[in-house]
Amino acid sequence: MHLLGTVGRCLLTGIPILRRIPLVRDLPLVRGYFRVRRIALPPADRARLLRAVNRDTVAFLAPNHPEFATDWLIDKELSTIVAPRMASWADRGIVSLAPRFWEMNNLVSNDGGARAKEYSIEWALGGEGVLLHPEGSVRWTNDFVHPLFPGVAQMAIAAAQRTEHAVYVVPLAWKYQFVGDVSAGLHREMTAIERGLGLISMPWLSVAQRFRVLQYGALALRMEHFGYHAPLGADFFERQEAFRDFLLARLAHHEGARSPDESIEHRLATITRTIRLARRALRGDHGADADAERRRLDADLERAEEAKRLGELDRTLYGGETLTQEQIFECLKRTRDRLLRTGWYDRLTVMLPRPAGPRIVHVGAPEPIRVLRVDPGDEEGYERELLDRTRTAMQQSLDEINQRIAPEVDPYRHANELAARAEP
């Protein structure tokens, strides 16, 4: 675990000593793959983190998840400060790539069920700490915390029943900020996506114009693939919403009774789970009818994944008059992740996202949440309360970071042309 922490630090911030020398620090072999100039953890936040996570406490850490791969390395850096032997939860697909290696680094697969939860609770009770990514719908966004999975609250409540030590849910928030103008890196990313999707490349356009043309082009390709025609006169976000409604209508037969106020996000999660269960039930059946049903289920699963993708670039987060460099970059990385997975290079780029330029990672550690012992009948309501408090604390921390760094971020904003009605 110590060795992996050292390797991760070099991948994040580059070669020691040399990474502190201007000009030299930006050389390809010096700067580190993820190009993090520094990790900014204010003294007050560091003190709160140390107070909540130590050998005398039981701690369950809940960070946000703004970028794949980088997030785990940042978490690893934080664990070296407070709990070097911390257990960390990860997606089953990651753990299965090298189970022995990840076992040595105390990664817990998120499909481990009751056994994985029990292991984590016991580990936290031993004063080592447990880190989970609680976001239920990870969209790789820097500025917004999405609804949380309940595991972090459930484990903390269970631990509180077994110990007299202080039990904490520890909200964490981190956000990356590009250093200077990274327009060249954004253009590079757009060139790769244009080529991968077979779109016309337009490097002479501004970042804002090219981003708009690219997103309209990608949306048109997906609508054509699924046999949908966009309403005339609609802006980008209206087209997305109408397309998603079209896909949901064709998935309705996978839904049972649902609440009128149920979110589309939750509906899609239920639909996807239903399709996967039906697909699993056909395992071992090689008859013609089973093969036909598998094809229908695969087509529906593709529709569900596309509907989920359409909800990731929504007006709520990206409908303002301007977009930051960080917002444009995260949208481009998601587009590449969701639509370009055909070759080994595309898959590697998804696993190890290449940043558009040098950046600073700002970390916030708001006040930890003390978890109390409650009666069994009150656990469900208390779980919801803990999740609400955790998400609120994470979001407030992100908002505070954004307010603090706004003078450095705002000069590099780009006009947001996605909401314009005229087609590119």
Side-chain angles (χ1 to χ4, degrees):
M1 293 179 76
H2 179 75
L3 176 62
L4 188 61
T6 301
V7 172
R9 190 174 301 115
C10 290
L11 286 170
L12 276 176
T13 58
I15 298 176
I17 301 176
L18 295 180
R19 65 189 178 206
R20 301 181 182 277
I21 304 174
L23 300 180
V24 174
R25 67 187 175 192
D26 286 323
L27 295 175
L29 295 178
V30 175
R31 65 194 182 195
Y33 183 86
F34 294 104
R35 303 196 67 178
V36 174
R37 287 271 182 88
R38 63 187 174 91
I39 299 173
L41 177 62
D45 294 76
R46 185 186 182 100
R48 281 192 291 269
L49 189 58
L50 287 167
R51 188 172 70 249
V53 190
N54 57 67
R55 297 290 299 177
D56 297 321
T57 64
V58 180
F60 296 87
L61 288 79
N64 63 326
H65 203 174
E67 182 178 279
F68 190 77
T70 316
D71 71 290
W72 192 82
L73 294 174
I74 296 297
D75 294 337
K76 187 71 176 173
E77 277 293 289
L78 297 178
S79 76
T80 61
I81 297 173
V82 292
R85 284 162 41 85
M86 182 183 295
S88 300
W89 278 51
D91 183 80
R92 177 185 60 83
I94 300 298
V95 179
S96 63
L97 290 174
R100 178 58 183 154
F101 172 78
W102 290 122
E103 182 182 333
M104 288 189 297
N105 286 278
N106 212 11
L107 252 68
V108 181
S109 178
N110 64 1
D111 71 340
R115 184 179 178 185
K117 286 186 176 181
E118 181 60 26
Y119 172 84
S120 301
I121 292 167
E122 289 297 327
W123 197 259
L125 288 170
E128 302 288 0
V130 174
L131 185 143
L132 306 95
H133 286 299
E135 283 186 289
S137 299
V138 177
R139 297 185 183 179
W140 321 121
T141 53
N142 259 277
D143 302 322
F144 187 75
V145 179
H146 299 280
L148 309 184
F149 280 129
V152 66
Q154 292 171 351
M155 291 184 216
I157 291 171
Q161 306 287 8
R162 306 188 196 179
T163 183
E164 298 302 322
H165 289 284
V167 177
Y168 292 106
V169 170
V170 185
L172 289 170
W174 68 265
K175 173 194 171 68
Y176 67 77
Q177 170 207 343
F178 287 118
V179 178
D181 185 357
V182 297
S183 295
L186 297 176
H187 277 294
R188 182 192 67 225
E189 193 71 16
M190 286 189 276
T191 296
I193 297 172
E194 289 163 347
R195 289 175 178 170
L197 295 179
L199 298 172
I200 297 174
S201 187
M202 299 184 179
W204 58 85
L205 296 178
S206 68
V207 167
Q209 292 169 335
R210 193 177 185 184
F211 180 66
R212 177 176 181 245
V213 171
L214 171 60
Q215 293 298 338
Y216 265 101
L219 181 60
L221 285 177
R222 301 306 290 166
M223 290 191 295
E224 181 181 2
H225 176 75
F226 288 98
Y228 178 72
H229 300 283
L232 297 176
D235 70 21
F236 177 81
F237 297 109
E238 290 165 346
R239 288 172 181 230
Q240 278 202 145
E241 290 168 12
F243 182 26
R244 187 169 60 171
D245 289 343
F246 166 82
L247 294 171
L248 283 168
R250 277 147 185 79
L251 294 168
H253 60 283
H254 291 291
E255 291 188 275
R258 59 183 176 84
S259 170
D261 59 348
E262 186 177 17
S263 69
I264 292 178
E265 222 171 56
H266 191 270
R267 286 176 61 191
L268 284 169
T270 302
I271 289 169
T272 301
R273 185 166 55 251
T274 301
I275 294 172
R276 292 189 189 279
L277 287 172
R279 188 73 168 76
R280 197 174 302 142
L282 294 172
R283 193 177 297 164
D285 188 342
H286 303 293
D289 289 344
D291 288 342
E293 181 62 16
R294 265 189 287 270
R295 287 192 293 272
R296 284 192 290 270
L297 290 170
D298 288 345
D300 281 348
L301 185 59
E302 187 183 14
R303 291 187 183 98
E305 292 297 331
E306 179 64 14
K308 179 182 175 182
R309 185 191 74 83
L310 294 169
E312 294 175 339
L313 182 56
D314 69 350
R315 191 188 301 273
T316 304
L317 296 181
Y318 302 105
E321 294 183 1
T322 62
L323 295 172
T324 64
Q325 296 183 120
E326 293 78 10
Q327 287 177 308
I328 292 174
F329 181 69
E330 69 191 22
C331 289
L332 293 174
K333 296 311 297 183
R334 276 203 309 273
T335 301
R336 193 164 186 170
D337 178 17
R338 306 313 192 227
L339 301 182
L340 291 179
R341 288 194 172 210
T342 54
W344 68 268
Y345 182 75
D346 290 329
R347 292 189 180 93
L348 183 63
T349 302
V350 169
M351 295 290 290
L352 299 172
R354 182 183 177 189
R359 50 201 180 159
I360 299 168
V361 175
H362 299 272
V363 180
E367 196 65 37
I369 300 169
R370 179 72 182 268
V371 181
L372 305 176
R373 186 177 297 178
V374 295
D375 294 330
D378 297 330
E379 287 185 356
E380 186 175 341
Y382 190 42
E383 176 188 310
R384 288 195 298 270
E385 177 190 336
L386 285 177
L387 290 176
D388 287 343
R389 291 175 62 188
T390 302
R391 185 183 178 192
T392 298
M394 294 165 72
Q395 187 62 60
Q396 288 175 344
S397 184
L398 276 181
D399 294 343
E400 188 278 328
I401 290 171
N402 278 325
Q403 185 177 9
R404 175 160 35 93
I405 66 176
E408 301 164 27
V409 171
D410 290 346
Y412 303 106
R413 284 181 173 271
H414 295 272
N416 182 10
E417 302 192 5
L418 281 183
R421 290 203 171 262
E423 288 195 45

